[in-house]
Amino acid sequence: MCGIIGYFGNRNAAPIILEGLRRLEYRGYDSAGMAIITNNGVKIKKDVGKVDEIHARLNFLEHEGNIAIGHTRWATHGGVTRENAHPHISNNGKIVIVHNGIIENFQEQRKFLTSQGFKFYSQTDTETIPNTIEYHMRRGYDFFEAVKRSLRHLDGQYAIVLIHEDEKKLVAVRKEAPLVIGVGEGEYFVASDIPAFLEHTKNVIFLEEKDMVMIDKDGLKIFNLIKDSFVERPIVSIDWNAEQAKKGEFDHFFMKEIVEQTEVISRIAKLEDGLIKDIADEIRKAKGTYIVACGTAAHASMHGVYLFSRIAKKHINFCIASEFPHFKHFLTPESLVIAVSQSGETADTLAAIRAAKSAGAKVISITNVMGSTLMRESDKSILQRAGPEICVVSTKAYTSQLAILYLLACELAGKLDEGKEKIRELGRYIYYLTSINMRKYLKQLAEKLRYTEHLYLIGRGLQYPTALEAALKIKEVSYIHAEAYAGGELKHGTIALIEHGTPCIVFTSEENEKEIISNAMELKARGAYIIGVGPRNNDVFDFFIKVREAGELNSICQIIPMQILAYQLAILRGCDPDKPRNLAKAVVVK
Ligand code: F6R
């Protein structure tokens, strides 16, 4: 949810942290802050608002130093106020922290510290951490030992980065929340996500659960709190590049990532056959396969169920990840759970796979982030290869998930080569779907819809999850109320809401054209304004978006104009498509 970053090296840390905060802003943007160790002690600047607004007011670059930490916040405990913004500092003004996650027993800990004379200046759970460390340091422990002891008293999930004014040291710990280390020449970066430091290094250390990183002038050491000993972790070179994490010629990451789908889909066509075959074999062997995910990844997973049924004649069960633990009773050591998650850090998805593992089931993941918790906790993984997805709203990660699920279904049906050829060909068509002409055409539709309050979407078969995903995109970035239904379902109640002029988007395909057009007519008869998306125009449509027939790949083609429409609506309605209100990338709390 929040984004955290730390730097320890020989350069001035302030500009590095500021740039890192900009890159991490997609993880939370209620407030932001920075702390830097200078020759005159530690200096903290923090406030409510977006990083650049705060920078304009407070000047994050005012102070210089070689050790610093930063934070972008998505509030959990305590309102969006300056006091609750991070970094937080201990009572003696020496220990400074940034934190992502939740300290579950913070109320008890706060009570205890208050009884010991500590004062609290925010409503956050975080403030208990530096003060617990100060408490242990007062009793004679050094900084590292005090951090270790403090964490024994703090329950919950966290990624934290700490600095100490006098000690010129940086300590970082992860427990059920993301944290990666970047290793440069005589310098180290610690962050929630790789794009935060990608400009400086591609050499990364993925931390394991309860790893505590200690960095000082002698270098970096990792102590594992579970093993209670020092451990070695490999340095991995990653293949993302800094350009992928920048907006380039685009005004927003949202549009950049929509356009990147041509490339992403072409990359999926090059996935190694061995990997697809291996995962398909696991599905063949399993006695019961369940696919779990949240949000957009859940829509991709639902698609998967249709694809496995149609192409591979195989029944796969789908469940929203947060509900999956309620079905754990079905699981046996012969079950297989496939978890789909762009970030690989979504708390509900992780809880689902942990429930599966506790029943002895095998876990396979489809994720975009190498080294993510999901990947590390899975028995096997397929990496999505979509490149960093910076926009809070998922686009290219979604279509890459669809393409991977399609290839798995093809392999199960013995048609992997054919499937790959179709995906390859699709890549070229997506280039057209994201063209400037298409964007202009969809802007005309956005102009018609910009003042609408309610919008309905229908689709049948594969177009049903497409309708769900299109509705989510529109809601997230334009704040228009959009609701999707299976074509046959709307008339069972919700049709009561259709009035003169209510916009309804209807997804069609050659296969279900007759039935869905009948549903469109039912809506038109009640005065709806009908927008058709599909291969063939029809008299019932007031506006038509032509997308060529692509059979089982219709879903990938048809969602792209909807992503663009959502973008255009956001712009016309004055919303920031990269940072929708109340949202955060990687929802690491349940
Ligand atoms: C919507 C969106 C979210 C995520 C969901 C799961 O645009 O991005 O609905 O899809 O929070 O996230 P991951 O895929 O990271 O598990």
Side-chain angles (χ1 to χ4, degrees):
M1 316 288 289
C2 305
I4 60 179
I5 179 159
Y7 175 82
F8 187 105
N10 36 37
R11 290 191 276 164
N12 178 17
I16 295 169
I17 297 290
L18 174 58
E19 203 41 47
L21 288 179
R22 290 183 179 127
R23 303 240 177 281
L24 286 171
E25 210 172 9
Y26 69 96
R27 302 181 69 92
Y29 28 88
D30 295 341
S31 35
M34 183 191 296
I36 186 159
I37 298 181
T38 72
N39 291 334
N40 295 317
V42 67
K43 306 285 177 202
I44 298 180
K45 286 179 188 267
K46 61 180 187 177
D47 209 345
V48 166
K50 294 192 177 157
V51 171
D52 280 320
E53 291 162 10
I54 304 170
H55 178 43
R57 282 199 299 275
L58 304 180
N59 186 13
F60 279 130
L61 301 179
E62 183 184 345
H63 302 292
E64 292 193 7
N66 305 128
I67 307 170
I69 54 179
H71 189 271
T72 60
R73 182 167 188 244
W74 188 89
T76 55
H77 290 63
V80 180
T81 63
R82 186 192 172 278
E83 291 66 38
N84 290 335
H86 297 219
H88 289 281
I89 192 155
S90 58
N91 277 193
N92 65 2
K94 302 268 180 210
I95 306 158
V96 193
I97 186 171
V98 287
H99 167 216
N100 174 23
I102 290 175
I103 301 300
E104 283 158 4
N105 63 337
F106 83 101
Q107 280 166 324
E108 293 95 298
Q109 192 61 16
R110 198 168 158 135
K111 223 180 265 170
F112 168 73
L113 291 167
T114 308
S115 75
Q116 300 296 308
F118 282 86
K119 299 244 173 320
F120 287 88
Y121 301 93
S122 77
Q123 286 82 50
T124 64
D125 50 340
T126 305
E127 216 187 341
T128 53
I129 309 174
N131 286 316
T132 306
I133 297 169
E134 182 188 322
Y135 168 81
H136 286 291
M137 288 186 83
R138 281 189 202 170
R139 302 173 83 205
Y141 296 107
D142 69 18
F143 184 37
F144 291 154
E145 189 56 33
V147 175
K148 271 200 252 169
R149 284 178 180 264
S150 301
L151 294 179
R152 282 189 209 140
H153 299 281
L154 300 166
D155 304 332
Q157 353 145 343
Y158 45 80
I160 55 178
V161 189
L162 290 147
I163 50 179
H164 190 295
E165 181 180 271
D166 301 336
E167 305 234 353
K168 309 285 185 287
K169 285 173 180 164
L170 185 146
V171 175
V173 190
R174 66 157 290 171
K175 176 177 178 263
E176 297 173 30
L179 199 64
V180 283
I181 308 294
V183 183
E185 290 284 320
E187 60 185 3
Y188 298 94
F189 307 82
V190 185
S192 306
D193 213 344
I194 297 165
F197 55 71
L198 195 52
E199 224 163 338
H200 307 288
T201 183
K202 287 185 187 180
N203 294 329
V204 171
I205 298 175
F206 295 111
L207 298 176
E208 298 290 328
E209 207 47 21
K210 286 210 158 186
D211 272 354
M212 172 170 157
V213 180
M214 306 185 289
I215 306 171
D216 61 18
K217 61 175 182 15
D218 299 323
L220 171 141
K221 280 188 277 186
I222 302 174
F223 185 88
N224 184 272
L225 295 164
I226 303 168
K227 293 191 174 144
D228 203 24
S229 64
F230 285 96
V231 288
E232 294 286 329
R233 303 281 178 228
I235 298 178
V236 180
S237 182
I238 49 133
D239 65 0
W240 286 359
N241 65 56
E243 289 316 304
Q244 288 176 308
K246 289 184 186 159
K247 275 192 271 200
E249 71 200 72
F250 293 90
D251 292 335
H252 299 96
F253 281 109
F254 193 142
M255 187 49 81
K256 176 177 184 255
E257 290 168 4
I258 289 173
V259 170
E260 277 174 2
Q261 290 176 110
T262 303
E263 219 178 288
V264 171
I265 292 298
S266 308
R267 239 178 267 147
I268 303 293
K270 292 186 196 134
L271 273 182
E272 311 86 71
D273 286 2
L275 178 66
I276 301 286
K277 285 179 197 284
D278 184 33
I279 304 295
D281 267 349
E282 295 291 350
I283 301 174
R284 267 188 209 107
K285 276 192 295 196
K287 297 219 167 87
T289 300
Y290 304 82
I291 183 161
V292 298
C294 302
T296 287
H299 296 151
S301 305
M302 248 179 113
H303 256 111
V305 174
Y306 284 88
L307 291 172
F308 285 116
S309 170
R310 288 174 63 113
I311 303 173
K313 319 283 178 264
K314 183 115 194 133
H315 175 64
I316 305 276
N317 301 278
F318 159 73
C319 190
I320 294 284
S322 55
E323 286 299 308
F324 187 66
H326 303 292
F327 294 101
K328 65 180 176 205
H329 324 92
F330 294 128
L331 297 170
T332 74
E334 288 173 307
S335 313
L336 174 68
V337 172
I338 303 177
V340 182
S341 169
Q342 188 285 129
S343 63
E345 300 294 348
T346 301
D348 290 322
T349 309
L350 293 175
I353 63 146
R354 286 170 189 153
K357 289 200 109 176
S358 66
K362 203 167 227 182
V363 172
I364 284 175
S365 57
I366 299 177
T367 180
N368 194 34
V369 180
M370 189 175 176
S372 57
T373 307
L374 179 61
M375 189 168 173
R376 285 185 295 101
E377 293 191 15
S378 304
D379 296 297
K380 292 181 179 173
S381 290
I382 303 187
L383 260 181
Q384 290 178 223
R385 293 158 173 81
E389 192 178 63
I390 308 289
C391 179
V392 168
V393 175
S394 188
T395 52
K396 60 177 181 170
Y398 174 70
T399 44
S400 76
Q401 288 159 355
L402 291 185
I404 290 169
L405 290 165
Y406 171 76
L407 288 184
L408 283 173
C410 288
E411 166 55 24
L412 282 169
K415 296 179 185 164
L416 182 58
D417 289 343
E418 203 183 302
K420 279 191 156 184
E421 185 46 42
K422 286 192 177 155
I423 295 269
R424 206 169 293 127
E425 208 194 305
L426 195 69
R428 293 191 279 271
Y429 183 56
I430 292 175
Y431 182 72
Y432 157 75
L433 286 175
T434 58
S435 65
I436 304 266
N437 281 350
M438 189 56 135
R439 285 183 248 166
K440 278 192 190 148
Y441 183 63
L442 290 164
K443 194 168 175 204
Q444 289 170 27
L445 177 60
E447 267 154 11
K448 286 184 203 294
L449 301 182
R450 68 185 289 188
Y451 298 112
T452 198
E453 282 179 41
H454 308 281
L455 192 151
Y456 297 89
L457 304 94
I458 55 170
R460 283 177 174 259
L462 285 165
Q463 271 79 38
Y464 172 44
T466 303
L468 288 168
E469 175 57 10
L472 183 61
K473 291 293 89 103
I474 292 169
K475 278 186 277 202
E476 283 179 300
V477 296
S478 72
Y479 315 141
I480 293 172
H481 167 228
E483 256 189 87
Y485 287 87
E489 191 62 17
L490 194 82
K491 61 180 175 295
H492 295 288
T494 308
I495 200 162
L497 298 175
I498 306 299
E499 295 175 343
H500 181 75
T502 305
C504 295
I505 301 182
V506 178
F507 296 92
T508 74
S509 68
E510 276 175 4
E511 186 192 32
N512 59 32
E513 189 176 29
K514 234 169 98 197
E515 287 165 314
I516 199 81
I517 293 293
S518 301
N519 299 136
M521 288 188 169
E522 291 154 12
L523 296 169
K524 181 94 170 180
R526 273 109 195 141
Y529 177 81
I530 308 286
I531 300 141
V533 185
R536 222 183 338 256
N537 204 346
N538 190 288
D539 287 346
V540 75
F541 299 148
D542 297 293
F543 193 98
F544 178 57
I545 304 165
K546 184 169 167 61
V547 180
R548 85 170 183 208
E549 175 63 35
E552 276 119 6
L553 294 171
N554 272 337
S555 334
I556 298 184
C557 300
Q558 295 189 357
I559 197 62
I560 291 172
M562 294 296 102
Q563 295 168 342
I564 298 173
L565 175 66
Y567 176 82
Q568 306 284 21
L569 282 168
I571 301 296
L572 287 172
R573 289 165 66 94
C575 309
D576 180 346
D578 278 349
K579 301 189 190 86
R581 70 184 178 208
N582 306 340
L583 301 188
K585 195 96 182 150
V587 185
V588 300
V589 290
K590 279 199 205 165

